[in-house]
Amino acid sequence: MPPIARFIIFILVSMVVFFWLIRFSLRQRESKPEARSLMRVMAIVVVGGMLFAKYGNNMGLPWWIYYTIPALATLLLPPVVFRMSVSELRLYLILALFSSPMIHVMFSLVLGWKEYMPFIPVPSLRELLS
């Protein structure tokens, strides 16, 4: 599969995970976030963050810049935009911190795609079973 197709799949899966992460974190609210604001935050955090990380890496930026800026956007923007309470924030931060590594583990383990977070080596099932 071409690398751009994999990258698009990474983005789409990350968007779905992020959408449900926000919805789950804010599930006890009477009024849910508007779809428009959720889509804007998702575009900045997921799409913008992944594009920044990919092209920051390709442009030779240090890893601590091209990973830290998207991570900070992920950790700071949704709580501010959605005005999360302390309990919502606590749940969101826990889920947000574990979602990217879990996506990486699933892609690496099931499909053998290791470029989502290449600095965390996870063997594929094929590698483990051979």
Side-chain angles (χ1 to χ4, degrees):
M1 179 177 294
I4 190 68
R6 284 187 183 191
F7 187 63
I8 291 168
I9 292 170
F10 286 136
I11 288 175
L12 293 174
V13 169
S14 297
M15 287 176 75
V16 169
V17 169
F18 185 78
F19 174 83
W20 287 109
L21 188 150
I22 295 291
R23 295 287 294 190
F24 185 75
S25 297
L26 304 178
R27 71 188 181 283
Q28 295 182 350
R29 286 190 176 184
E30 294 268 333
S31 62
K32 305 297 183 217
E34 291 182 15
R36 186 180 322 177
S37 62
L38 182 53
M39 295 303 279
R40 285 181 184 151
V41 170
M42 198 167 18
I44 294 168
V45 169
V46 177
V47 179
M50 289 183 76
L51 287 170
F52 183 84
K54 180 172 183 55
Y55 292 108
N57 180 25
N58 292 348
M59 291 173 19
L61 292 176
W63 70 267
W64 55 269
I65 291 177
Y66 67 79
Y67 273 110
T68 302
I69 291 174
L72 287 174
T74 301
L75 298 176
L76 299 175
L77 189 61
V80 170
V81 170
F82 301 121
R83 299 175 190 198
M84 293 182 180
S85 68
V86 173
S87 61
E88 291 169 341
L89 177 61
R90 188 177 309 123
L91 178 61
Y92 172 75
L93 291 176
I94 290 167
L95 294 174
L97 289 171
F98 286 105
S99 63
S100 288
M102 289 310 299
I103 293 170
H104 165 66
V105 166
M106 294 310 296
F107 273 114
S108 295
L109 195 63
V110 176
L111 298 174
W113 299 359
K114 301 173 188 287
E115 60 267 30
Y116 189 84
M117 294 177 79
F119 52 84
I120 301 175
V122 176
S124 69
L125 286 174
R126 177 181 283 165
E127 292 169 335
L128 290 172
L129 297 174
S130 63

